[in-house]
Structure formats: C-alpha cells, structure tokens
Amino acid sequence: MRSPRDWVVDISFFLFAVIFSVVTADSVHLDESMSGGEQIADQVAGALACASVFLRRRWPVHLAMALMLAGTYFHHLTGAMLVALFTVAVHRKRRFTAWVAAVALVQFLLFLLSLAQRPDAESEATGSALTYFALVAGSIGWGLYVRYRRALIASLEERAAQAAEEARRQAREEIAREMHDVLAHRLSLLSVHAGALEFNTSATASDIQRAAAVIRDSAHQALQDLREVIGVLRAPTAGRDGAEGRPQPTLADVKRLVAESHKAGIGVTYHQEARNADTLPAVTGRTAYRIVQEGLTNARKHAPDTEITVAVSGRPGEGLTVVVVNSLPGGPGTAIPGSGQGLIGLGERAELAGGRLEHGPRDGSFMLRAWLPWGGAEAVDR
C-alpha cells in the first residue's frame, strides 16, 4: 500500500514523463512517412506509457523492458521509459539492472551497425538516436548513484547505531564496575565485623561496642557511596566513569583504605615508595587505588585471618607498580561469596589506563600485581 510520500513521488514521476514527452516531441526526428493514424497511435501509446508509471513499484523490470522494446517504434514512450529504468537501478538487485542495461547496449550496437551501413551522421535521426541512448545511460547511472548513496547512508546510520549501543554497553560496564568497587569494600568490612561478633562469644562490652560502631560507620559509608553512584547515573551530563559526578580517589587515599582495614582488626602492612607522587596522572592514581581496594576486599573475602602486604613503588618515566599479597587460607573458613568479576574489572581498568594486571597463587600466597604508566608511557584518562 502506498504511503502519502509514495503517492507524491509517483505523481511527480508521472508528470515528468508527460512533460518530457510533450516538450521533446518537436525536437525528435519522426518518420515523415508516418500516417496521421500512426501518429495518433504514437500519442496514445505515450499516454498509456505515462499512466503505466504507477505500476513501476510492482513490475519495474517488466515495465522497463516493455517500454525499451516499444520505444524503438514510439517516441512518446521515452519519458516513462526513463522513469522505469531509474526505478530498476534504484530498487532492484544489480543483476536485473545489468539485464536492462544489456538490452540497451544491444539496441545501441544495432544502431551503430545500421549507422555503419548507411553513414549519415548529420541527419536528424542520428542525432535523436544518440540523444536517446545518452538519456538511457544517464537514467541508469543516476539510479545507481541514488542506490549506492542510500546504501552508504544506511551503512553510516547502522554504524552510528552500533557505536551508540557500544557506548551504552561500555557505560553499563563502567557503572557495574564502579558499584562493585565502591560497595564490595564496605560490605566486606561489615561481614568481617559481623562474623567477629558471631563467633567471639567472649567479647567484652567495649569490644562489641567498638565493632558495632565500625559496622554502623561502614553501613553509613556504603549507603553514601551508593547514593553518589546513583546520583551519577541520574545526571545526564555525567562522564562514563562518574568522574564528573563524584570525587575520584587518588593514590594518597590508599592510606585511608589501610587505616580502615586496621580499624577492622585486619593486619595490613603498607609500603609506599613512589617518588614525586604529586605528578602521578589522575587516571593512574585512581586505578592504583581501585587495585588496592579490590586486593584488600578479596583478602577479607577469602582469607580474613591472614596478613596482607600492600606495596606501591615507581617514579615518572618508569611507571607505577602496585602489589597486594596475602597468605592463602590453610583450611575452611567463612569466606564471603563473590562473583569473580572484581579481578576481571581490574584487568579492564588497567588496560584502559595503558597498563597490565597479573594475579594468582605464588609461593603459598595470593599475589595481585599491576603496572601502570607514569610519565613516558602516557595514559588516556577515560
């Protein structure tokens, strides 16, 4: 069923065919031996051809073939034939366009053969025939141009849609990673203290009060962090990683992480040997913080009673090295369940920052080691 736009286009092509045939009638050579009846037949055929333009959407190839063959004898079919050829080139497969073009080529070769047998290049008939074939070639060529231009636009629109979907996917991954980094650390502290209260039945009132205070502070901070992340999601102009919506941590904030673990009763040894830390790129400092945060969180999850060592070293031009080591648990414990997505997210973070991440058991301990660019190997803050 035709849409209003289709009707407008079809009527425009119909008017073009009519006007073309009428305007060019006097400039085309006609056989002087044609009788009045034959001339009327030519005009009637032209009128029917113009009306057949409304069938071009259903049978464009058949219409083009019929008009090309009949156009050998009738002039007034030319306008409708050009419309049909254009339609085939735009809307039908290339092999159909090739067939139509082949018919036109055969007609042109036959014309050249007849011209070679009776050379009369200055005659009106020869000029009309050459103009006819030029119009045929122009109609097919213009249709192919429109076809490939539409295909190019559709391809660009598809790529833009894919790019937008990829951007949304990356944004979702960044949001999920941010929520994991922010909440897993707090909730692991809550679990450690809750477990201590559960199993330490001989705890004094002051110990219980101190643990309850840590649980309350951690829960409050977790809610605050969650509120900030949700605020970033609601802000239409916030960056992908939330850098525009909430303050981002730096390497200097690692000391606060260690202090929180000490407050939770977890033994953490921290060595910071990074020179000129104030010149550290923001993305590198933020990534280093997240690596230490995830390392401490995993240690509390899977080996809550082991010692943890955190070492940060490096200098401009050589890069920053972050190492988090904890002893592997010797037996069954009350490890906090995890999805394993934290280390995957850290690997992606390190790659985005231009660095690399390694992790796994080593000499009875679990090691998390990362190298991040600093100075000579510039990272892009994403």
Coordinates of all heavy atoms in Angstrom, one line a residue, residues 20 24-31 71-72 75 78 81 108 111 115 120-136:
F20 N 8.0 15.6 -20.3 CA 9.2 15.2 -21.1 C 8.8 14.9 -22.5 O 9.3 15.3 -23.5 CB 10.0 14.1 -20.4 CG 11.2 13.7 -21.2 CD1 12.4 14.2 -21.0 CD2 11.1 12.7 -22.2 CE1 13.5 13.9 -21.7 CE2 12.2 12.3 -22.9 CZ 13.4 12.9 -22.7
T24 N 9.7 17.4 -25.7 CA 10.7 16.9 -26.6 C 10.1 16.4 -27.9 O 10.9 16.0 -28.8 CB 11.5 15.8 -26.0 OG1 10.6 14.7 -25.7 CG2 12.2 16.3 -24.7
A25 N 8.8 16.5 -28.1 CA 8.2 16.0 -29.3 C 8.6 16.7 -30.5 O 8.9 16.0 -31.6 CB 6.6 16.0 -29.2
D26 N 8.8 18.0 -30.5 CA 9.1 18.8 -31.7 C 10.6 18.6 -32.0 O 11.0 18.9 -33.2 CB 8.8 20.2 -31.5 CG 7.3 20.4 -31.4 OD1 6.5 19.6 -31.9 OD2 6.8 21.4 -30.8
S27 N 11.4 18.3 -31.1 CA 12.9 18.2 -31.3 C 13.4 16.8 -31.7 O 14.6 16.6 -32.0 CB 13.7 18.6 -30.0 OG 13.4 17.8 -29.0
V28 N 12.4 15.9 -31.8 CA 12.8 14.5 -32.2 C 12.4 14.2 -33.6 O 11.3 14.6 -34.0 CB 12.2 13.5 -31.2 CG1 12.5 12.0 -31.7 CG2 12.6 13.7 -29.8
H29 N 13.3 13.6 -34.3 CA 13.1 13.2 -35.7 C 12.0 12.1 -35.8 O 12.1 11.1 -35.2 CB 14.3 12.8 -36.4 CG 14.1 12.3 -37.8 ND1 13.9 13.1 -38.9 CD2 14.0 11.0 -38.3 CE1 13.7 12.4 -40.0 NE2 13.8 11.1 -39.6
L30 N 10.9 12.4 -36.6 CA 9.9 11.4 -36.8 C 9.9 11.0 -38.3 O 10.2 11.8 -39.1 CB 8.5 11.9 -36.4 CG 8.4 12.3 -34.9 CD1 7.0 12.9 -34.7 CD2 8.5 11.1 -34.0
D31 N 9.5 9.8 -38.5 CA 9.5 9.3 -39.9 C 8.4 10.0 -40.6 O 7.2 10.1 -40.2 CB 9.2 7.8 -39.9 CG 9.4 7.2 -41.3 OD1 9.5 7.9 -42.2 OD2 9.4 5.9 -41.3
G71 N 9.8 1.4 -27.4 CA 10.3 2.7 -27.6 C 11.1 2.8 -29.0 O 11.4 3.9 -29.5
T72 N 11.4 1.7 -29.5 CA 12.0 1.6 -30.8 C 11.1 2.2 -31.9 O 11.5 2.8 -32.9 CB 12.4 0.2 -31.2 OG1 13.2 -0.3 -30.1 CG2 13.2 0.2 -32.5
H75 N 7.9 7.4 -30.1 CA 8.7 8.4 -29.4 C 8.2 8.7 -28.0 O 9.0 8.9 -27.0 CB 8.8 9.7 -30.2 CG 9.1 10.9 -29.4 ND1 10.3 11.1 -28.7 CD2 8.3 11.9 -29.0 CE1 10.2 12.2 -28.0 NE2 9.0 12.7 -28.2
T78 N 9.4 7.6 -24.3 CA 10.7 7.8 -23.7 C 10.7 8.3 -22.3 O 11.5 7.8 -21.4 CB 11.5 8.9 -24.6 OG1 11.5 8.4 -25.9 CG2 12.9 9.0 -24.1
M81 N 9.8 5.5 -20.0 CA 10.9 4.5 -20.0 C 12.1 5.0 -19.1 O 12.6 4.2 -18.4 CB 11.4 4.3 -21.4 CG 12.5 3.3 -21.5 SD 13.5 3.5 -23.0 CE 14.2 5.1 -22.8
F108 N 21.9 -0.2 -28.8 CA 22.9 0.7 -29.2 C 23.8 0.1 -30.2 O 24.2 0.8 -31.2 CB 23.7 1.2 -28.0 CG 24.7 2.3 -28.3 CD1 24.3 3.5 -28.8 CD2 26.1 2.0 -28.2 CE1 25.3 4.5 -29.1 CE2 27.0 3.0 -28.5 CZ 26.6 4.2 -29.0
F111 N 22.1 0.0 -33.5 CA 22.1 1.3 -34.1 C 23.4 1.6 -34.8 O 23.5 2.2 -35.9 CB 21.7 2.4 -33.0 CG 22.1 3.8 -33.4 CD1 21.3 4.4 -34.4 CD2 23.2 4.4 -32.9 CE1 21.6 5.7 -34.7 CE2 23.5 5.7 -33.3 CZ 22.7 6.4 -34.2
L115 N 24.1 2.4 -38.6 CA 24.8 3.6 -39.0 C 26.0 3.4 -39.8 O 26.4 4.1 -40.8 CB 25.2 4.4 -37.7 CG 25.8 5.8 -37.9 CD1 24.8 6.7 -38.6 CD2 26.2 6.4 -36.6
D120 N 25.3 8.5 -42.0 CA 24.6 9.8 -42.2 C 24.6 10.5 -40.9 O 23.6 10.7 -40.3 CB 23.2 9.6 -42.7 CG 22.6 10.9 -43.2 OD1 23.3 11.9 -43.2 OD2 21.3 10.9 -43.5
A121 N 25.8 10.8 -40.4 CA 26.0 11.4 -39.1 C 25.3 12.7 -38.9 O 25.0 13.2 -37.8 CB 27.4 11.5 -38.7
E122 N 25.0 13.4 -40.0 CA 24.5 14.8 -39.8 C 22.9 14.7 -39.9 O 22.3 15.8 -39.7 CB 25.0 15.6 -41.0 CG 26.5 15.8 -41.0 CD 27.0 16.5 -39.8 OE1 26.3 17.3 -39.2 OE2 28.1 16.1 -39.4
S123 N 22.3 13.6 -40.0 CA 20.9 13.6 -40.1 C 20.2 13.8 -38.8 O 20.8 13.5 -37.7 CB 20.4 12.2 -40.7 OG 20.7 11.2 -39.8
E124 N 19.0 14.2 -38.8 CA 18.2 14.4 -37.5 C 18.0 13.1 -36.8 O 18.0 13.0 -35.6 CB 16.9 15.1 -37.8 CG 17.1 16.5 -38.4 CD 15.7 17.2 -38.6 OE1 14.7 16.5 -38.3 OE2 15.7 18.3 -39.1
A125 N 17.8 12.0 -37.6 CA 17.5 10.7 -37.0 C 18.7 10.2 -36.1 O 18.6 9.7 -35.0 CB 17.2 9.7 -38.0
T126 N 19.9 10.4 -36.7 CA 21.1 10.0 -35.9 C 21.3 10.8 -34.6 O 21.6 10.3 -33.6 CB 22.4 10.2 -36.8 OG1 22.2 9.5 -38.0 CG2 23.6 9.8 -36.1
G127 N 21.0 12.1 -34.7 CA 21.1 13.0 -33.5 C 20.1 12.6 -32.5 O 20.4 12.5 -31.3
S128 N 18.9 12.3 -32.9 CA 17.8 11.9 -32.0 C 18.2 10.5 -31.3 O 18.0 10.3 -30.1 CB 16.5 11.7 -32.7 OG 16.1 13.0 -33.2
A129 N 18.7 9.6 -32.1 CA 19.1 8.3 -31.5 C 20.2 8.4 -30.5 O 20.2 7.8 -29.5 CB 19.5 7.4 -32.7
L130 N 21.2 9.2 -30.8 CA 22.3 9.4 -29.9 C 21.8 10.0 -28.6 O 22.3 9.7 -27.5 CB 23.4 10.2 -30.5 CG 24.2 9.6 -31.7 CD1 25.2 10.6 -32.3 CD2 24.9 8.3 -31.2
T131 N 20.9 11.0 -28.7 CA 20.4 11.6 -27.5 C 19.6 10.6 -26.7 O 19.6 10.6 -25.5 CB 19.5 12.8 -27.9 OG1 20.2 13.8 -28.7 CG2 18.9 13.5 -26.7
Y132 N 18.8 9.8 -27.4 CA 18.0 8.7 -26.7 C 18.9 7.8 -25.9 O 18.7 7.6 -24.7 CB 17.3 7.9 -27.8 CG 16.7 6.7 -27.3 CD1 15.4 6.7 -26.6 CD2 17.3 5.4 -27.4 CE1 14.9 5.5 -26.1 CE2 16.8 4.3 -27.0 CZ 15.5 4.3 -26.3 OH 15.0 3.1 -25.9
F133 N 20.0 7.3 -26.5 CA 20.9 6.4 -25.8 C 21.6 7.1 -24.6 O 21.9 6.5 -23.6 CB 21.9 5.7 -26.7 CG 21.2 4.7 -27.6 CD1 21.2 4.9 -29.0 CD2 20.7 3.6 -27.1 CE1 20.6 4.0 -29.8 CE2 20.1 2.6 -27.9 CZ 20.0 2.8 -29.3
A134 N 21.9 8.4 -24.8 CA 22.6 9.2 -23.7 C 21.6 9.3 -22.6 O 22.0 9.2 -21.4 CB 23.0 10.5 -24.3
L135 N 20.3 9.5 -22.8 CA 19.4 9.6 -21.8 C 19.2 8.3 -21.1 O 19.0 8.2 -19.8 CB 18.0 10.1 -22.4 CG 17.9 11.5 -22.8 CD1 16.6 11.8 -23.5 CD2 18.1 12.5 -21.7
V136 N 19.2 7.2 -21.8 CA 19.1 5.9 -21.2 C 20.3 5.6 -20.3 O 20.1 5.2 -19.1 CB 19.1 4.8 -22.3 CG1 19.2 3.4 -21.7 CG2 17.7 4.8 -23.1

